[in-house]
Amino acid sequence: MLKIALLVALLGLLVLFAVGPVRRALVTPRLLALFKRILPSMSETERDALEAGTTWWDADLFSGRPDWSKLLAYAPPALSAEERHFLDHDVERLCELVNDWETQQLLDLPPQAWAYMKSQGFLGMIIPKQYGGKQFSAYMHSQVVMKLSTRCSALAVSVMVPNSLGPAELLLHYGTEAQKDYYLPRLAAGTEIPCFALTSPYAGSDAAAIPDLGVVCMGMHEGRSTLGFRLTWNKRYITLAPVATLLGLAFQTSDPEHLLSDNDAPGITCALIPASHDGVVIGRRHHPLNAVFQNGPTSGNGVFIPMEWVIGGQAQVGKGWRMLMECLAAGRAISLPSSSVGMGKMAVRGTSAYAAVRRQFNMPIGKFEGVQEALARMGANLYLMDAARTLSALGVDLGEKPAVISAIVKYHVTERGRALVNDGMDILGGKGICSGPNNFLASAYQQIPIAITVEGANILTRSLIIFGQGAIRAHPYVLREMAAVGESDQAKAVRDFDSAFFGHVGFVLGNLARGLWYGLGGARLAAVPSAAAPELAPYYRAVTRLSTAFAVMTDMSMFVLGGELKRRERLSARLGDVVSQLYLASSVLKRYEDDGRPPADLPYVHWSLQDALLRAQQGLTGVLDNFPARGLAVLLRTLLFPFGLPHRPPADELGTAVTHAMQTAGGDRERLLADCYVASDAADPVARAEQALLLLPHVVAIEKRLKDGNTSLRHMPQSLPAMRAWLSTAKDASAISCQEHNTLLEFTRLVDGLIQVDDFAPAATHATPASYPRDDAGVVDASGSPSTSGTRAAYTTMTESQMAPGQCALTPK
């Protein structure tokens, strides 16, 4: 009898839940009512932020089953012939016009650089050709910002900002035809210099809370009574504001007289205001950490503007926040990741060459294991950062507005950039902390916090945005469930919620089963796309396994904490770390394929993948260690990692392979540093380091020959005076040829100039160094004053056929 009762109960449950019409009639309405009670309320600004942008590869990672074939099928991003020419010639020329140290003396870019930027269309890269712009791809936009960042941060920022979130972007998407026809050609030609003012002293990270107010009213404009706004604002941190001619402004809207509608407070509105307009206060500057890009406050009190200055006209009043959120994703995916990668390429190029040629204890410092540990992090981080930058730009070019991915790359590329520069400073030691034209890394070190802070402070981005937005936006079911809860038509709400909720249940059960299977060893059987490199197959499987574990923990966290998860920022941050590291690992796998699987890149690939997988694993264990339901946490840990944690840090031997690749001049190293500007001026410290690195194999060969010959000359000195005496002795003894003499002398001169630091007269703080550079290369004139050129002479080695018998010399170019 009991068995019959149990069977009837089971059949009843089966009918109740498995038969759609019965379930929707008896179960789903009750579940829907429960969700309506427990689901946290959402403001309009939160809803706009969540619904803005699109999902892409992040949705695959949230699903627990990433479709690798789809990712690998995307063609690698490529520049058109026009774009490549612009990068190789126009961008190269602009870099030649600017010197980072000189900009610090001027507190600005030199006038010829501003003029060139305007005349060559650098300020209109995103503007369509029909308006006189370049209409470059997102990838090209990224390449330009990256290359400029290898030369000078102020240069990169001055180009980056007009092509990111600002007047041009907003006009393209929301402007009236009249606004586009008037402003876009002027912006493309550099006739107008734009800025966009959002941040205020009382609304930084909480940008939607800006107190700046525009009251709808009638006012006088150009001699006639006009509908418009009486504006009062106080903004700060506005890049290009001190030199701007066109001010983009975001403000709250008030319509107390209902001149527009019955809505007293329509919301945030965006407008374009000529900087010369009566009442606009603009021109003063901030000085963010010695960065000299133009940045400053703007304000106005009771300034009247006509309605036609609203971007998009009256129809867009109150829609400014949505406009900003929809445009932010694309710009944030490009600007700061690209500038951070550019800074990283400059740092790696200079530091790796320095470590290879700088000797202590009669050995290159790049062979010390402590230095190699830092160098390996620098090289592998740069490889990963560049991979993430490229993949994100590809997504934008495919038409995506990747809200979650843009937050991932903004946070993680800038944070790894900070770590990269810190490692570089540790390697440079005392040379790195003395500012001057002979220090290539000091500006980057000082200014790194700027990238960390802007376009969403990194703490906020990590703890609130990446997972907080992704868990809803990129999850295959949560947004559908929320939409059903908000549906006013009850019948439609029940149908939509039933589909989403029970689909979600099946999704969770499937990931739990797959997570257990992978944990028990099934991950070794996980599918790897046929297009993938066989040597990286274990990494594809590892990312898939961790993606499944992440999907499980996402749903368990939402189930246990519900709306409280939004306030559990540390758990949210760790979950964000997991999906972020999986995205970074995916970008490395994609880059290796897109680059043609170069075997020489495998040290970078293995190191960066192992590091990313370890960090993803640490994020998961951090969630489990702090999960509020302790019993469930133990169960989930056992299910997901039954035999322990699989990922370990990269081995020392792998790090050594990375550092060897970084310190070996040639095409493989140049692939890591592609499109990094190197000055032709030998006074530039990075150029000097590169020249020394190119000579290093010849110097090592000469040194080895002398050591093998067991001569008294086998210990070559480091200092320039000692080397001169040594060379004279070696030449007299016929131990070296004239060609070798000149190679060794040129190498020693280059290294001697490279290791020097700058010093100044007592009263000078920003001036030409009194002793730069410190050698006989013709920089100091007969009076002992610094040369007006400030340029070290470059040397070319004579061939022996060009020399008189017995002559050994270097001639200036």
Side-chain angles (χ1 to χ4, degrees):
M1 198 66 185
L2 180 60
K3 291 181 180 179
I4 295 174
L6 288 173
L7 181 60
V8 170
L10 287 173
L11 287 173
L13 288 173
L14 184 63
V15 170
L16 190 62
F17 285 97
V19 180
V22 176
R23 184 181 66 238
R24 285 189 288 273
L26 301 177
V27 178
T28 303
R30 290 172 173 79
L31 290 172
L32 178 61
L34 175 64
F35 264 67
K36 286 184 176 181
R37 289 197 301 272
I38 65 175
L39 197 68
S41 60
M42 185 181 301
S43 68
E44 196 65 33
T45 55
E46 287 179 311
R47 186 178 302 279
D48 285 343
L50 279 174
E51 294 177 355
T54 61
T55 60
W56 188 44
W57 186 245
D58 48 327
D60 278 75
L61 297 173
F62 267 91
S63 76
R65 303 181 70 178
D67 184 353
W68 293 110
S69 296
K70 178 181 73 175
L71 181 67
L72 297 183
Y74 293 123
L79 302 181
S80 67
E82 177 190 1
E83 290 173 335
R84 173 47 68 182
H85 183 273
F86 188 88
L87 189 67
D88 291 344
H89 294 84
D90 299 74
V91 178
E92 186 83 4
R93 176 58 182 153
L94 183 56
C95 288
E96 291 171 356
L97 293 173
V98 176
N99 176 287
D100 194 65
W101 176 253
E102 290 173 358
T103 65
Q104 294 181 42
Q105 318 313 304
L106 294 170
L107 298 180
D108 195 3
L109 298 175
Q112 63 268 30
W114 277 110
Y116 190 79
M117 284 163 49
K118 295 175 183 179
S119 67
Q120 298 306 114
F122 279 85
L123 306 186
M125 294 191 299
I126 66 170
I127 296 175
K129 291 185 177 182
Q130 70 184 90
Y131 299 107
K134 294 293 184 183
Q135 199 173 342
F136 284 156
S137 64
Y139 179 57
M140 175 56 175
H141 178 189
S142 176
Q143 291 290 101
V144 172
V145 172
M146 182 198 71
K147 184 166 183 174
L148 294 176
S149 298
T150 68
R151 182 58 169 167
C152 173
S153 64
L155 182 60
V157 171
S158 299
V159 171
M160 179 175 77
V161 168
N163 291 288
S164 185
L165 176 62
E169 176 94 1
L170 294 170
L171 283 168
L172 283 170
H173 291 284
Y174 308 104
T176 65
E177 291 305 312
Q179 289 171 339
K180 292 178 184 179
D181 290 341
Y182 179 76
Y183 278 118
L184 290 178
R186 297 171 64 84
L187 290 167
T191 307
E192 299 280 7
I193 302 295
C195 69
F196 191 84
L198 176 62
T199 305
S200 83
Y202 301 101
S205 296
D206 187 12
I210 53 174
D212 314 283
L213 187 63
V215 179
V216 181
C217 64
M218 300 298 295
M220 296 301 295
H221 179 66
E222 296 181 345
R224 58 186 175 86
S225 180
T226 305
L227 180 66
F229 295 91
R230 186 73 60 185
L231 290 172
T232 297
W233 74 91
N234 181 23
K235 304 287 191 177
R236 64 181 182 181
Y237 311 149
I238 311 306
T239 299
L240 295 187
V243 295
T245 62
L246 183 64
L247 170 66
L249 186 70
F251 56 90
Q252 298 285 357
T253 309
S254 174
D255 187 11
E257 299 180 31
H258 298 158
L259 297 177
L260 300 179
S261 70
D262 292 336
N263 189 349
D264 291 336
I268 291 175
T269 297
C270 296
L272 294 179
I273 306 172
S276 59
H277 186 59
D278 286 346
V280 174
V281 179
I282 201 166
R284 294 183 64 82
R285 291 184 67 174
H286 303 307
H287 288 292
L289 295 178
N290 289 331
V292 299
F293 61 85
Q294 296 285 340
N295 183 276
T298 176
S299 60
N301 186 12
V303 178
F304 180 79
I305 67 167
M307 185 65 64
E308 65 195 56
W309 288 3
V310 171
I311 298 176
Q314 184 172 327
Q316 292 296 329
V317 170
K319 299 179 181 178
W321 184 248
R322 180 72 179 232
M323 292 160 58
L324 294 173
M325 290 299 98
E326 288 178 347
C327 290
L328 175 63
R332 189 167 59 182
I334 294 171
S335 300
L336 290 171
S338 303
S339 62
S340 295
V341 169
M343 174 204 64
K345 289 194 175 188
M346 177 274 298
V348 166
R349 184 181 285 281
T351 305
S352 61
Y354 178 87
V357 303
R358 172 68 158 135
R359 291 192 172 206
Q360 292 286 273
F361 305 102
N362 204 34
M363 185 170 75
I365 65 171
K367 291 188 176 180
F368 287 87
E369 289 195 356
V371 172
Q372 287 185 343
E373 188 174 21
L375 266 180
R377 287 194 298 265
M378 291 180 72
N381 273 333
L382 176 59
Y383 185 91
L384 178 146
M385 291 162 60
D386 206 7
R389 173 192 72 89
T390 303
L391 181 59
S392 303
L394 171 62
V396 176
D397 277 330
L398 290 172
E400 303 292 343
K401 294 183 177 180
V404 176
I405 286 174
S406 69
I408 289 172
V409 292
K410 190 277 171 180
Y411 175 84
H412 287 277
V413 173
T414 58
E415 286 293 342
R416 286 185 183 250
R418 169 156 61 178
L420 186 157
V421 170
N422 284 343
D423 279 331
M425 288 293 285
D426 285 350
I427 292 169
L428 294 180
K431 176 179 172 58
I433 62 173
C434 294
S435 292
N438 207 29
N439 188 330
F440 61 85
L441 201 53
S443 292
Y445 180 75
Q446 288 177 307
Q447 295 163 25
I448 270 286
I450 299 171
I452 300 297
T453 299
V454 300
E455 290 193 12
N458 275 12
I459 289 177
L460 169 77
T461 301
R462 176 176 178 258
S463 60
L464 292 178
I465 296 178
I466 295 175
F467 181 77
Q469 191 169 5
I472 296 173
R473 194 72 181 84
H475 192 286
Y477 293 101
V478 170
L479 193 60
R480 290 169 54 191
E481 290 168 334
M482 294 176 67
V485 168
E487 174 59 53
S488 56
D489 183 334
Q490 178 66 11
K492 185 175 187 304
V494 169
R495 288 195 305 272
D496 292 349
F497 186 78
D498 181 83
S499 172
F501 179 79
F502 287 100
H504 195 163
V505 170
F507 172 78
V508 172
L509 294 176
N511 277 327
L512 283 168
R514 203 161 39 253
L516 176 60
W517 168 246
Y518 288 158
L520 293 174
R524 297 175 184 174
L525 303 177
V528 175
S530 58
E535 61 268 31
L536 300 187
Y539 296 114
Y540 285 92
R541 296 188 180 104
V543 173
T544 297
R545 178 184 177 185
L546 289 176
S547 173
T548 300
F550 167 71
V552 169
M553 291 309 305
T554 294
D555 281 308
M556 292 300 104
S557 298
M558 289 191 291
F559 175 75
V560 170
L561 292 168
E564 179 68 16
L565 181 58
K566 184 168 70 172
R567 289 173 285 278
R568 299 294 290 269
E569 294 175 23
R570 282 172 285 199
L571 284 179
S572 179
R574 293 183 185 108
L575 287 164
D577 290 343
V578 180
V579 70
S580 297
Q581 298 302 330
L582 298 181
Y583 178 79
L584 297 178
S586 301
S587 69
V588 171
L589 293 167
K590 172 69 170 163
R591 174 179 180 176
Y592 183 67
E593 294 293 339
D594 288 351
D595 286 352
R597 303 181 185 177
D601 287 0
L602 282 173
Y604 303 115
V605 173
H606 287 300
W607 201 104
S608 56
L609 284 170
Q610 291 172 24
D611 178 71
L613 292 170
L614 176 66
R615 295 191 192 203
Q617 177 181 275
Q618 289 170 338
L620 284 169
T621 56
V623 173
L624 289 167
D625 290 343
N626 295 276
F627 203 65
R630 297 308 308 147
L632 180 58
V634 172
L635 179 62
L636 289 170
R637 183 186 292 270
T638 303
L639 184 148
L640 298 173
F641 304 109
F643 300 121
L645 302 174
H647 299 295
R648 299 289 181 269
D652 294 345
E653 184 178 1
L654 181 56
T656 300
V658 171
T659 60
H660 177 74
M662 294 169 66
Q663 296 177 88
T664 303
D668 294 332
R669 181 171 180 265
E670 289 306 309
R671 190 165 50 252
L672 177 70
L673 304 172
D675 292 315
C676 175
Y677 176 78
V678 180
S680 57
D681 180 0
D684 181 89
V686 175
R688 187 182 296 124
E690 284 295 296
Q691 291 177 23
L693 184 65
L694 289 171
L695 289 176
L696 182 60
H698 306 289
V699 173
V700 170
I702 297 169
E703 188 175 30
K704 184 177 186 303
R705 179 175 60 77
L706 293 176
K707 284 182 178 180
D708 292 344
N710 195 27
T711 72
S712 59
L713 298 168
R714 60 179 172 268
H715 296 300
M716 287 192 296
Q718 296 182 54
S719 71
L720 187 56
M723 177 57 81
R724 289 185 186 282
W726 185 93
L727 287 172
S728 179
T729 302
K731 183 65 178 67
D732 291 343
S734 299
I736 58 174
S737 68
C738 283
Q739 184 75 30
E740 290 173 332
H741 169 283
N742 289 339
T743 296
L744 293 173
L745 180 56
E746 185 172 8
F747 177 80
T748 306
R749 281 175 162 166
L750 289 167
V751 175
D752 178 73
L754 179 63
I755 67 175
Q756 301 301 331
V757 298
D758 303 292
D759 54 80
F760 302 85
T765 54
H766 288 84
T768 304
S771 57
Y772 171 73
R774 216 185 279 257
D775 72 1
D776 60 352
V779 174
V780 178
D781 63 23
S783 67
S785 301
S787 164
T788 55
S789 68
T791 303
R792 170 191 288 273
Y795 287 86
T796 180
T797 304
M798 286 183 175
T799 63
E800 294 190 37
S801 63
Q802 294 174 307
M803 299 177 190
Q807 177 191 10
C808 288
L810 295 173
T811 58
K813 285 180 179 176

